[in-house]
């Protein structure tokens, strides 16, 4: 073997190997091969912050194989990604494989095409230690922050919590936005708009003009008075202003703008966008997808001009060279673009096609001519209101330019206006004065959070998606839809029949795919902001990023940067040790219980927020109740807290027995006369219908659910339990195939091990031998313990709250009322007595 090329991913390896020929063998490192050791901090603070690296357990076999290949090769080429993470992986490979970092060839390319690969091989360099040190500094600083902050949160608030330099700042943004929304007081006003009829010289209607009053009225009375005056007025055009205008295309995508546009146009999550973009890059269809550069190479611009001229004509071509605004843009040399502009569609999975189309259109549009517009503004006088005017605006695209390619509803045309002239008369069509309410600041979605992080200089292209994924995985933020609430509004109408007023209802406050902070996010953010203000300070976090950039340029020693940070940070950690759990947990006194006079608090516990009656003094045992879904610690009122103690509640008794039989003969069911009790548990409200028999309450209020509704939920749960068993094996009752949330899977009851079944596999065809083999190859079940990664069960200093209710087992099937109705009508495997 002559040459060994090491890349990051196996998909990329296959593509590159096609271009290099028989003298090259291309292998993958499968991402990072080494990281700071997991035991302890893994950093020698007394020795210049030296990190103790170890090869990841799951990479040891691969590293051994790469070592063997490296010894056999005449030359080793490190071809990992061109950003700092890629440079660090190249350095770690050199260290782990025993290569000479000074002499080992390092090649980079921002697209996986034959010319780009050949050019990279012809112009190798060595590992850039400045880039490596910038990545090391980031990794070490983040480990220090997480390692020293997280135990403080475990001791003072709840075990299993985590903190991070960028993660905690992102959570703070979401928490503070929620606080702004909760503090917002909506004001109302009345906006006037509608349509007028344009009259010709003979007084006949010759066109419709959409108009509005530019300012709103503060009160309904003012709006009524205005409409009355309009009703008595003669209407006339007093000015007509026509101006040409242009609209320019946006630059090609960076990482953040691709994430934002894919969310807006395609409905993709940030993580989904990056996964699909990675596949497109590794298959050679687009350039590198982690970049904050707006630049296009001269070759790419020339190719784009050829494609535009061929597709649309020379008039549409206009070469543009965009400048990256950020002085600290990372090392990736180009914006995200197709590797071949002549290819406007690609084969593959549908979402790959959609994202590629978006990238192609944006990049092509960036090299196209401006759209030409004609904008018209008309002012209309009212004879009874000398100082008042109605305004009409219109916009016409006279040359579509770049909109020919980037036509995602961005034309934004106002209504077309009929031809008119100054002095021309109009008559009333219909005007509406609608009561509208000021909107609070918008909650973040994933794309708008990325935009804000980028604008504030927090994080870099490679960190946006992992950060957003992390804050959701760790329970600080939930992404969900929320229904709005009905709200009345007033509508005043003026037409040929005169004025009318009516009260109508709208749904206000509905949200889709928005990021909401959990109670624990608010508590942790408030605690960290108070005691570690610098770490959560937006400007401080941005300055840290700037220092990483300076290290990458070779203008700062990474050890000096870390030393400066740690000398300020560590004393704050030591000071936080003296903060009491009560202060850190931010328990809030709601008031006194109306009957007993005992104090009532809202607190955070191992299973989430709860209300406590009594403080445990005078040997009187406190009472506990968990908050209901949707209730928040910082907004809960005493009256709402009192309602929580009405659970458990006897809903009634099963009117008749209901049984469902699984395929292995196991019978699930409930007997007539069994009590149905509504309770509140750590995972939400549920119905208890026997010993360790639970049905989650979804879509109903446990305080008001009726017996009929409860019966439907219980029947649906029983039916789901019976259907969960997909296949059993008489010769080995310990192994079963069960139905899970993501499809069927194999389980071994005694060891609690699970094994996957592919989506395209028929679970019924799997033999016992195949199941046992997969179980043997499956990883051991994760044991959650104190301080374990992702742990959610802290060691309890006191008995866990919510003792008034039992713990409910999580179910993987949603029991909705509609599902329950279906269950109640099923005949197969069901018998009623």
């Amino acid at each position: 073997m002559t040459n060994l090329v090491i890349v990051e991913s196996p998909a990329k390896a296959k593509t590159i190997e096609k271009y290099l020929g028989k003298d090259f063998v291309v292998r993958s490192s499968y991402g990072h091969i080494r990281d700071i050791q997991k035991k302890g901090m893994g950093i020698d603070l007394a020795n210049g912050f030296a990190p103790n690296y170890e090869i990841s357990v799951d990479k040891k076999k691969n590293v051994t194989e790469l070592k063997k290949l490296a010894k056999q090769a005449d030359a080793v080429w490190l071809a990992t990604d061109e950003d700092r993470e890629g440079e660090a992986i190249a350095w770690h490979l050199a260290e782990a494989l025993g290569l000479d970092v000074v002499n080992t060839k390092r090649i980079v390319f921002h697209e996986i095409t034959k010319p780009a690969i050949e050019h990279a091989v012809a112009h190798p360099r060595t590992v850039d230690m400045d880039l490596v040190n910038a990545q090391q500094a980031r990794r070490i600083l983040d480990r220090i922050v997480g390692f020293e902050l997280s135990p403080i949160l475990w001791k003072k608030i709840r075990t299993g919590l985590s903190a991070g330099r960028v993660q905690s700042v992102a959570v703070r943004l979401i928490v503070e936005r929620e606080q702004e929304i909760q503090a917002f007081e909506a004001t109302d006003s009345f906006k006037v708009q509608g349509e007028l009829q344009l009259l010709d010289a003979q007084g006949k209607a010759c066109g419709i003009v959409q108009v509005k009053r530019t300012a709103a009225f503060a009160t309904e009375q003012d709006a009524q008075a205005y409409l009355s005056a309009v009703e008595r007025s003669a209407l006339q055009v007093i000015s007509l202003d026509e101006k040409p205008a242009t609209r320019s295309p946006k630059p090609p995508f960076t990482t953040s703008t691709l994430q934002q546009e894919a969310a807006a146009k395609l409905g993709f999550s940030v993580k989904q966008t990056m996964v699909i973009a990675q596949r497109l890059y590794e298959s050679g269809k687009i350039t590198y997808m982690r970049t904050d550069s707006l630049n296009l190479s001269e070759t790419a611009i020339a190719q784009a001009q050829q494609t535009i001229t061929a597709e649309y004509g020379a008039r549409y071509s206009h070469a543009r060279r965009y400048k990256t605004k950020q002085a600290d843009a990372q090392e990736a040399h180009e914006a995200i673009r197709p590797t071949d502009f002549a290819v406007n569609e690609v084969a593959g999975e549908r979402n790959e096609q959609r994202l590629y189309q978006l990238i192609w259109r944006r990049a092509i549009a960036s090299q196209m001519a401006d759209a030409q517009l004609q904008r018209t503004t008309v002012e209309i006088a009212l004879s009874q209101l000398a100082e008042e005017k109605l305004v009409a605006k219109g916009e016409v695209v006279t040359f579509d330019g770049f909109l020919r390619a980037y036509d995602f509803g961005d034309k934004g045309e106002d209504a077309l206006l009929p031809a008119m002239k100054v002095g021309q008369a109009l008559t009333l069509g219909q005007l509406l004065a609608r009561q509208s309410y000021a909107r609070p600041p918008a909650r973040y979605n994933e794309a708008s959070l990325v935009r804000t992080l980028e604008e504030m200089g927090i994080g870099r292209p490679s960190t946006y998606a992992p950060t957003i994924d992390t804050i959701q995985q760790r329970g600080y933020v939930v992404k969900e839809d929320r229904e709005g609430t009905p709200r009345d509004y007033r509508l005043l109408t003026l037409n040929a029949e005169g004025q009318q007023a009516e009260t109508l209802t709208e749904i206000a406050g509905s949200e889709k795919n928005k990021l909401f902070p959990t109670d624990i996010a608010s508590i942790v953010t408030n605690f960290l902001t108070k005691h570690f203000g610098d770490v959560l300070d937006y400007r401080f976090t941005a300055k840290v990023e700037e220092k990483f950039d300076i290290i990458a340029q070779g203008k700062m020693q990474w050890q000096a940067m870390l030393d400066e940070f740690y000398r300020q940070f560590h004393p704050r950690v030591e000071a936080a040790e003296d903060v009491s759990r009560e202060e850190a947990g931010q328990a809030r006194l709601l008031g006194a219980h109306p009957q007993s006079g005992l104090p009532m608090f809202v607190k955070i516990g191992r299973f989430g927020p709860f209300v406590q009656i009594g403080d445990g003094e005078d040997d009187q045992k406190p009472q506990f109740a968990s908050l209901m879904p949707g209730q928040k610690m910082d907004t809960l009122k005493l009256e709402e807290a009192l309602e929580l103690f009405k659970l458990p509640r006897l809903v009634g008794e099963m009117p008749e027995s209901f049984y469902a039989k699984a395929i292995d003969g196991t019978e699930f069911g409930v007997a007539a006369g069994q009590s149905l009790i509504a309770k509140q548990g750590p995972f939400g409200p549920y119905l208890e219908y026997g010993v360790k028999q639970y049905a989650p309450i979804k879509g109903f209020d446990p305080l008001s659910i009726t017996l009929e509704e409860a019966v439907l939920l219980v029947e649906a749960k029983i039916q789901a339990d019976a259907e969960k068993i997909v296949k059993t094996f008489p010769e080995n009752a310990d192994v079963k195939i069960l139905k899970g949330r993501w499809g069927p899977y194999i389980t071994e009851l005694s060891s609690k091990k699970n094994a996957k079944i592919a989506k395209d596999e028929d679970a019924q065809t799997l033999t016992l031998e195949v199941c046992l083999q997969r179980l043997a190859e499956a990883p051991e079940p994760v044991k959650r313990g104190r301080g374990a990664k992702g742990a959610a069960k802290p060691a309890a200093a006191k008995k866990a709250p919510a003792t008034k209710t039992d713990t409910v087992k999580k179910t993987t099937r949603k029991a909705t009322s509609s599902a329950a109705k279906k269950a109640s009508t099923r005949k197969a495997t069901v018998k009623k007595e």
Side-chain angles (χ1 to χ4, degrees):
M1 181 173 61
T2 306
N3 296 278
L4 171 65
V5 179
I6 305 176
V7 297
E8 287 184 39
S9 75
K12 189 195 293 187
K14 290 179 182 178
T15 308
I16 292 174
E17 200 163 40
K18 292 188 301 184
Y19 299 138
L20 288 177
K22 58 181 173 43
D23 292 334
F24 289 82
V25 171
V26 186
R27 292 292 183 268
S28 169
S29 70
Y30 293 87
H32 280 277
I33 61 164
R34 294 200 313 178
D35 197 4
I36 298 172
Q37 68 180 33
K38 293 182 178 179
K39 185 178 180 181
M41 181 185 284
I43 298 164
D44 189 347
L45 299 175
N47 188 25
F49 298 92
N52 299 315
Y53 289 114
E54 64 181 6
I55 296 173
S56 305
V57 174
D58 60 338
K59 300 296 175 64
K60 287 184 177 180
K61 183 178 178 181
N62 190 41
V63 170
T64 301
E65 179 65 23
L66 291 175
K67 272 185 180 179
K68 180 180 177 182
L69 293 172
K71 287 180 180 179
Q72 298 171 357
D74 296 326
V76 178
W77 305 68
L78 302 176
T80 49
D81 290 345
E82 62 178 331
D83 57 9
R84 292 175 200 167
E85 290 293 321
E87 204 70 25
I89 292 173
W91 176 72
H92 283 296
L93 281 167
E95 291 282 307
L97 303 184
L99 305 176
D100 182 356
V101 177
V102 176
N103 296 316
T104 300
K105 295 176 181 179
R106 167 86 170 109
I107 57 174
V108 295
F109 35 83
H110 58 271
E111 61 182 63
I112 303 175
T113 60
K114 189 175 177 64
I117 302 302
E118 290 176 344
H119 181 271
V121 171
H123 301 85
R125 58 174 176 82
T126 55
V127 174
D128 187 332
M129 288 307 300
D130 291 329
L131 299 184
V132 173
N133 289 335
Q135 190 275 346
Q136 278 199 109
R138 174 192 292 278
R139 184 71 190 93
I140 293 168
L141 189 147
D142 288 348
R143 170 60 72 90
I144 290 171
V145 171
F147 188 83
E148 295 206 351
L149 272 190
S150 296
I152 294 292
L153 298 180
W154 299 352
K155 294 175 188 175
K156 306 301 178 182
I157 301 176
R158 193 173 77 189
T159 306
L161 296 175
S162 68
R165 183 181 56 84
V166 176
Q167 151 196 331
S168 297
V169 172
V171 173
R172 180 184 177 184
L173 280 169
I174 296 167
V175 168
E176 290 185 344
R177 177 57 56 86
E178 192 67 24
Q179 290 170 347
E180 291 174 31
I181 293 169
Q182 297 302 327
F184 182 80
E185 294 184 6
T187 57
D188 66 317
S189 61
F190 284 78
K191 297 180 179 179
V192 177
Q193 61 182 20
E195 59 183 39
L196 304 178
Q197 294 277 357
L198 185 67
L199 303 178
D200 61 17
Q202 288 73 43
K204 293 182 179 180
C206 60
I208 295 174
V209 182
Q210 302 291 333
V211 298
K212 64 180 179 181
R213 184 179 185 270
T214 54
F217 291 106
T219 67
E220 182 175 348
Q221 291 73 22
D222 290 341
Q224 286 177 331
Y226 175 81
L227 293 180
S228 297
V230 172
E231 189 176 16
R232 302 191 305 271
S233 292
L235 310 175
Q236 186 180 60
V237 176
I238 58 169
S239 75
L240 195 152
D241 183 25
E242 292 185 332
K243 289 182 179 179
T246 60
R247 186 178 300 163
S248 299
K250 294 177 181 178
F253 285 128
T254 62
T255 301
S256 67
T257 54
L258 175 64
Q259 291 168 346
Q260 293 164 41
E261 197 77 343
K265 299 292 193 293
L266 307 178
F268 290 177
S269 69
V270 167
K271 183 178 180 180
Q272 182 183 15
T273 298
M274 294 311 293
V275 168
I276 297 171
Q278 179 98 24
R279 291 203 297 262
L280 291 173
Y281 166 66
E282 290 176 348
S283 59
K285 294 166 184 171
I286 64 170
T287 55
Y288 192 54
M289 66 287 159
R290 293 188 185 93
T291 175
D292 44 15
S293 172
L294 300 176
N295 179 50
L296 292 180
S297 68
E298 291 301 316
T299 302
I301 292 173
Q303 190 187 70
Q305 288 182 293
Q306 291 177 359
T307 301
I308 293 164
T309 301
E311 288 282 329
Y312 309 114
R315 185 185 178 196
Y316 283 87
S317 178
H318 180 84
R320 301 172 190 269
R321 291 162 181 82
Y322 295 91
K323 297 284 186 181
T324 302
K325 292 180 180 179
Q326 298 99 319
D328 53 3
Q330 281 195 20
E331 298 71 38
H333 301 301
E334 279 200 74
I336 303 169
R337 63 165 176 83
T339 55
D340 185 355
F341 279 100
V343 178
N344 60 12
E345 292 182 354
V346 295
E349 189 262 333
R350 179 172 176 267
N351 282 340
E352 289 182 25
Q353 296 173 355
R354 296 172 69 202
L355 190 66
Y356 180 85
Q357 264 281 300
L358 189 71
I359 293 168
W360 184 88
R361 292 187 183 198
R362 177 74 167 241
I364 276 286
S366 75
Q367 299 303 309
M368 293 178 71
D370 291 344
Q372 305 293 325
L373 315 169
Q374 187 73 17
R375 288 179 179 152
T376 304
T377 303
V378 179
E379 291 186 337
I380 299 164
L382 302 92
S383 61
Q384 296 297 311
L385 296 164
E387 302 299 323
E388 289 280 347
K389 298 180 183 67
L390 288 169
V391 177
K393 291 186 177 182
E395 180 178 284
V396 177
V397 175
T398 57
F399 172 63
D400 53 4
F402 77 92
L403 295 174
R404 183 80 175 271
Y406 206 72
D407 58 351
F408 289 92
D410 290 338
K411 295 185 179 180
E413 294 182 2
D414 289 334
L416 284 172
L417 294 176
M420 63 184 82
K421 57 187 178 180
V422 174
Q424 194 165 359
L426 304 96
T427 189
L428 178 67
Q430 178 173 271
L431 288 182
L432 302 175
R434 188 187 191 281
Q435 184 182 22
S436 59
Y437 295 85
R439 294 183 179 180
R443 287 184 174 89
Y444 290 108
N445 56 28
E446 290 188 352
S448 62
L449 182 59
V450 167
R451 182 172 63 247
T452 301
L453 290 171
E454 183 184 39
E455 289 171 350
M456 299 178 79
I458 298 169
R460 288 295 180 265
S462 62
T463 65
Y464 299 138
T467 297
I468 290 174
D469 188 51
T470 296
I471 62 178
Q472 294 179 65
Q473 293 295 329
R474 295 186 176 170
Y476 288 121
V477 173
V478 292
K479 181 176 76 170
E480 61 187 19
D481 302 342
R482 291 192 181 176
E483 295 181 357
T485 55
R487 179 176 66 189
D488 290 342
Y489 69 93
R490 295 282 289 166
L491 180 66
L492 310 180
T493 304
L494 174 64
N495 52 32
E497 299 175 0
Q499 266 196 68
Q500 302 92 41
E502 55 186 330
T503 299
L504 303 174
T505 301
E506 63 184 356
I507 301 298
S510 59
E511 301 280 21
K512 185 172 180 61
N513 284 333
K514 292 296 179 69
L515 300 176
F516 295 85
T518 59
D519 281 309
I520 199 65
S522 300
I523 288 173
V524 169
T525 296
N526 292 340
F527 175 77
L528 293 178
T529 303
K530 182 175 180 180
H531 299 284
F532 298 91
D534 285 352
V535 178
L536 261 68
D537 179 75
Y538 300 130
R539 184 62 197 136
F540 171 81
T541 307
K543 283 183 177 179
V544 169
E545 296 289 351
E546 292 168 6
K547 289 179 181 178
F548 292 149
D549 296 328
I550 296 171
I551 293 169
Q553 296 162 15
K555 298 177 181 178
M556 179 184 289
Q557 291 295 316
W558 63 274
Q559 294 94 337
M561 178 263 183
L562 291 173
D563 183 63
E564 179 187 358
F565 168 81
Y566 194 68
R567 279 189 282 108
Q568 297 177 25
F569 172 70
H570 188 66
R572 294 180 180 272
V573 175
E574 294 176 325
E577 293 282 359
D578 297 328
V579 179
S580 68
R581 285 184 63 92
E582 288 70 24
E583 178 189 347
Q586 299 158 52
R588 184 165 66 90
L589 178 65
L590 298 172
H593 191 279
Q595 279 78 47
S596 67
L598 292 172
M600 294 184 64
F601 305 91
V602 60
K603 298 182 176 184
I604 195 76
R606 62 185 300 213
F607 293 122
F610 66 96
V611 174
Q612 175 179 320
I613 300 177
D615 51 18
E617 296 181 2
D618 302 325
D619 297 325
Q620 189 166 5
K621 186 178 179 181
Q623 291 179 276
F624 306 100
S626 298
L627 268 61
M628 299 286 286
Q631 290 183 324
K632 303 286 289 181
M633 284 182 65
D634 51 357
T635 58
L636 187 73
K637 298 177 181 177
L638 177 63
E639 295 76 17
E640 296 169 327
L642 290 168
E643 289 291 309
L644 300 174
F645 289 89
K646 293 182 178 178
L647 296 177
R649 165 180 164 254
L650 177 63
V651 179
E653 296 179 350
M654 280 295 291
E656 54 184 316
S657 299
F658 182 88
Y659 293 93
K661 187 175 290 187
I663 60 170
D664 65 348
T666 303
E667 195 169 64
F668 299 84
V670 59
Q674 174 65 52
S675 297
L676 305 185
I677 303 171
K679 294 186 174 185
Q680 174 68 18
F683 305 114
Y686 65 97
L687 287 164
E688 182 183 81
Y689 59 94
V691 178
K692 295 185 178 181
Q693 299 292 317
Y694 312 113
I697 297 177
K698 301 283 189 179
F700 299 100
D701 184 344
L703 294 171
S704 60
I705 188 171
T706 65
L707 178 60
E708 181 182 13
E709 292 165 342
V711 167
L712 290 173
L713 290 182
V714 169
E715 290 179 351
K717 176 60 167 55
I718 292 170
Q719 188 67 39
D721 287 342
E723 294 175 352
K724 186 175 182 179
I725 301 175
V726 176
K727 186 175 183 178
T728 58
F729 302 95
E731 62 271 40
N732 189 338
D734 197 33
V735 177
K736 295 179 186 292
I737 298 178
L738 303 180
K739 182 191 293 184
R741 184 177 181 182
W742 311 113
Y745 65 96
I746 305 164
T747 189
E748 187 175 51
L749 302 180
S750 59
S751 67
K752 297 184 179 178
K753 285 181 71 174
N754 296 328
K756 295 180 180 178
I757 296 175
K759 288 184 178 180
D760 56 355
E761 282 187 293
D762 183 356
Q764 293 291 348
T765 64
L766 297 182
T767 64
L768 176 61
E769 290 71 27
V770 169
C771 291
L772 289 171
Q773 181 181 347
R774 293 193 186 177
L775 286 167
E777 296 169 352
E780 293 297 324
V782 177
K783 293 182 180 180
R784 302 294 185 187
R786 183 178 178 87
K789 183 178 180 181
K793 295 183 179 180
K798 297 180 180 179
K799 192 170 182 178
T803 54
K804 193 168 190 294
T805 56
D806 294 333
T807 301
V808 62
K809 292 184 178 179
K810 265 192 174 178
T811 61
T812 57
R813 178 183 176 97
K814 291 184 178 179
T816 61
S817 57
S818 59
K821 290 175 182 176
K822 291 179 182 178
S824 66
T825 58
R826 286 193 184 97
K827 302 298 182 184
T829 74
V830 176
K831 64 179 181 179
K832 286 207 173 189
E833 296 178 355

